[in-house]
Amino acid sequence: MSEKDQVRQEDMSFEEAMKQLEQIVEKLEEGDVPLEKAITYYQDGMKLSKVCNDKLNNVEKQMQQIMNDQGEFESFSVEEEE
């Protein structure tokens, strides 16, 4: 994947990156992909996975501080359900 494609990936939305990642997974799951193409799909998928992870981490950092009614920041954390 070229540097131009990498910049384009970083500029895409989380939803766009996830959609492309899902398409790659579907192609790989079909199993009739030549080895060389499968490696390329895998590499592209890993790059898209990183884009998604970076975007999620960025949102998590933004959510850790939410402004209260007085205009002051207060700590915010999301608790996972078990």
Side-chain angles (χ1 to χ4, degrees):
M1 189 166 281
S2 71
E3 194 173 306
K4 181 181 176 183
D5 291 335
Q6 188 173 358
V7 170
R8 188 177 57 81
Q9 280 184 347
E10 291 170 359
D11 291 339
M12 70 176 52
S13 71
F14 175 81
E15 291 79 8
E16 292 169 329
M18 279 300 296
K19 184 176 180 179
Q20 285 189 15
L21 185 55
E22 288 170 356
Q23 291 171 348
I24 288 172
V25 170
E26 286 175 12
K27 290 176 185 177
L28 290 172
E29 285 179 341
E30 289 174 3
D32 60 349
V33 179
L35 180 60
E36 292 80 14
K37 190 68 175 171
I39 291 170
T40 301
Y41 284 149
Y42 180 79
Q43 290 172 333
D44 291 347
M46 292 304 294
K47 289 175 185 174
L48 287 165
S49 176
K50 182 179 180 335
V51 168
C52 290
N53 187 52
D54 290 347
K55 288 184 181 294
L56 287 174
N57 285 336
N58 187 34
V59 169
E60 184 177 6
K61 287 176 187 175
Q62 291 175 359
M63 294 298 293
Q64 287 175 349
Q65 287 193 330
I66 292 187
M67 198 170 286
N68 65 17
D69 292 337
Q70 289 79 31
E72 299 170 351
F73 285 108
E74 53 182 56
S75 183
F76 176 86
S77 64
V78 178
E79 294 185 22
E80 295 181 23
E81 294 182 25
E82 292 183 25

